[in-house]
Structures are given as C-alpha cells and as structure tokens.
Amino acid sequence: MTLNIILLGPPGAGKGTQAARLEEEKGMVQLSTGDMLRAAVKAGTPIGLQAKAVMDAGELVSDEIVSGLIGERLDELGGETSVIFDGYPRTAAQADALDAILAARGRKLDHVIELQVDEDALVDRITGRFSCAACGAGYHDRYKQPKTPDTCDACGGHEFKRRPDDNEETVRTRMAEYRAKTAPILPIYEARGIVGRVDGMAPIDEVNAAIEAILG
Ligand code: ADP
Ligand code: ADP
Ligand code: ZN
C-alpha cells in the first residue's frame, strides 16, 4: 500500500532524523523542501539565488517556489512510492496546494504526524546539529554522535558540515514562523481525523517506534 504522510513539528523537532529512519526501515522516500532549497542554493539555480537570503534570515521561502519543487519531485517518483513530507507544508496556502498536488496524482494524505517538543530543547538541538558532508547523514554533538569519532556511520566519510541558519538568533525567527504560520494548519488535518501525536522529546528509537505504530 502506498502511504503519503506529513511529519510536522518546529525546527529541531526531529523530522529529518525520523524521515531517514522511515526511509531505511519502510522504504519510504523523504521529500524535504529544506534539502531541496539547500541543493538549489549550492547549485546556484535561480530558485537558489532567490531563496538564500530568506533562508539565512530564518524566514519562509514563497509558497509557489516550494510547492513547485514538491510537484516536480513527486513526478520523478513512481506512483507506487510511499512519501514523507518533511518541512512541507508550512503555511495554509501550502496545505491547500498539497491537496491539489496529491489529488492530481491520484494520491491522498494518510497521516499527519505531529512531533511534540519542548521549545527550550530546540535551540540546544539545533545548535548541536551537524551532518556528513558526503552523504548528508544527520548527527548531534551530544544526542547522536557517530559510533567512531569523526567517521560517518553511514558512508565512512570524515568531513562534516553545519548549516549557516543553525544559530540561536535564526532559530528564534524560525520558531516564531512555525508558531505563526505552520502550527495553525494542524486544525485542517484534525478535522479530517488524520493527526497522530508523538512525544518528540523521547529518545530517537522510541520516537521511531511510536511513528511506526501509527503507520501500522
Ligand atoms: P528545519 O526542519 O530545521 O526547520 P528546513 O531544512 O525544513 O529546517 O528549512 C530550512 C529553511 O528553508 C527554512 O527556514 C525556510 O527558510 C526554508 N524552507 C524549507 N521548507 C520550506 C517551506 N515548506 N516553505 C517555506 N520555506 C521553507
Ligand atoms: P528537524 O528536521 O525537525 O529540524 P532534526 O531531525 O535535524 O530536526 O534534529 C535536530 C537535531 O536533534 C539533530 O542534531 C538530531 O540528531 C537531534 N535529534 C533528533 N531527534 C532527537 C531526539 N529524539 N532526541 C535527541 N536529539 C534528537
Ligand atoms: Zn556519510
């Protein structure tokens, strides 16, 4: 059965970490608009040039750009692929666009999983976040260290990187954007009876188990 799910939660809630686990364990594909935008910035495409300053400030890139990226990426996947929307939708307009994007492709949303976290923990999570420069695997200075120091568990790489927007000031703006524009879309999905809530403060394995229990 093909699944279409949204992982919803503020910056640092663990969306990317959990999406990677679902890719490994369930064969699902993660569609992260943040990753797509960072790739566009790196490649210097017109979208990347437009998005860079907005991302550095912790504000939201335009609805048209991100919904366009999601539609394109879905078209590259086969219709049978199960997908995880990570960091999308983030506004009511994006939630509407996603409904249309899915309907046009014969897909429907199965679950919206809200990762509930304590805001005080988020700055700590985000300022300690880093990833493998070669394969993108995600780590944390204290909560998810590589098994062998300075060596990526996934690919054996030795080079790591940090995001320019993972600093305390930008994180505060990103959290404010989440509260103002993203949290208000939850009631749309609650009315459809598809919201599942998970304690995002639990250890990574427990969060993963709780999500997989919802997916069945
Ligand atoms: P995190 O999950 O840590 O909050 P993301 O990687 O999802 O961060 O997003 C990084 C930045 O990319 C955001 O702060 C925003 O500028 C931009 N961005 C990503 N996804 C969206 C989206 N759906 N709508 C608007 N802007 C987005
Ligand atoms: P998001 O994609 O929602 O912005 P990430 O998945 O990148 O968040 O997680 C942010 C940071 O917190 C990463 O460094 C990650 O290793 C760490 N992290 C993720 N989930 C947990 C957890 N349940 N407990 C402790 N640290 C976590
Ligand atoms: Zn790696």
Side-chain angles (χ1 to χ4, degrees):
M1 194 183 71
T2 310
L3 280 178
N4 298 277
I5 72 165
I6 295 173
L7 288 182
L8 199 72
K15 303 179 296 294
T17 301
Q18 295 301 329
R21 290 288 293 265
L22 294 173
E23 286 198 322
E24 260 170 51
E25 291 160 22
K26 295 258 181 196
M28 302 178 75
V29 170
Q30 171 197 26
L31 299 184
S32 158
T33 42
D35 287 348
M36 294 173 201
L37 290 167
R38 279 184 289 279
V41 169
K42 195 170 172 198
T45 66
I47 284 177
L49 294 174
Q50 213 179 316
K52 187 179 186 317
V54 179
M55 293 173 76
D56 284 344
E59 289 160 9
L60 293 184
V61 173
S62 81
D63 293 329
E64 292 70 28
I65 287 182
V66 292
S67 294
L69 288 170
I70 285 285
E72 276 169 29
R73 195 56 63 87
L74 268 180
D75 287 336
E76 289 164 14
L77 299 173
E80 302 299 297
T81 313
S82 291
V83 299
I84 308 152
F85 297 99
D86 163 6
Y88 178 91
R90 263 175 154 95
T91 64
Q94 291 178 27
D96 287 345
L98 179 59
D99 284 339
I101 286 168
L102 290 174
R105 291 160 180 81
R107 290 176 178 265
K108 76 166 208 342
L109 266 182
D110 298 291
H111 301 279
V112 176
I113 295 174
E114 186 197 5
L115 294 174
Q116 296 189 302
V117 286
D118 166 5
E119 276 209 6
D120 295 338
L122 298 178
V123 171
D124 189 42
R125 280 207 190 164
I126 286 190
T127 52
R129 167 160 68 184
F130 65 96
S131 65
C132 173
C135 78
Y139 297 96
H140 192 279
D141 290 328
R142 287 177 305 288
Y143 311 133
K144 190 176 187 282
Q145 297 169 338
K147 293 191 177 78
T148 308
D150 295 320
T151 308
C152 175
D153 297 346
C155 77
H158 297 296
E159 219 191 298
F160 297 90
K161 61 182 183 187
R162 290 180 193 262
R163 283 168 44 178
D165 59 340
D166 277 353
N167 59 75
E168 182 162 352
E169 194 199 338
T170 307
V171 169
R172 302 257 175 227
T173 307
R174 286 156 61 198
M175 278 165 33
E177 289 281 65
Y178 181 82
R179 270 195 304 268
K181 297 173 185 162
T182 309
I185 69 181
L186 261 167
I188 302 174
Y189 298 124
E190 268 158 8
R192 295 183 202 170
I194 56 171
V195 177
R197 294 203 161 76
V198 167
D199 174 15
M201 296 309 294
I204 291 171
D205 286 345
E206 285 178 28
V207 178
N208 170 247
I211 293 174
E212 294 193 1
I214 290 172
L215 301 187

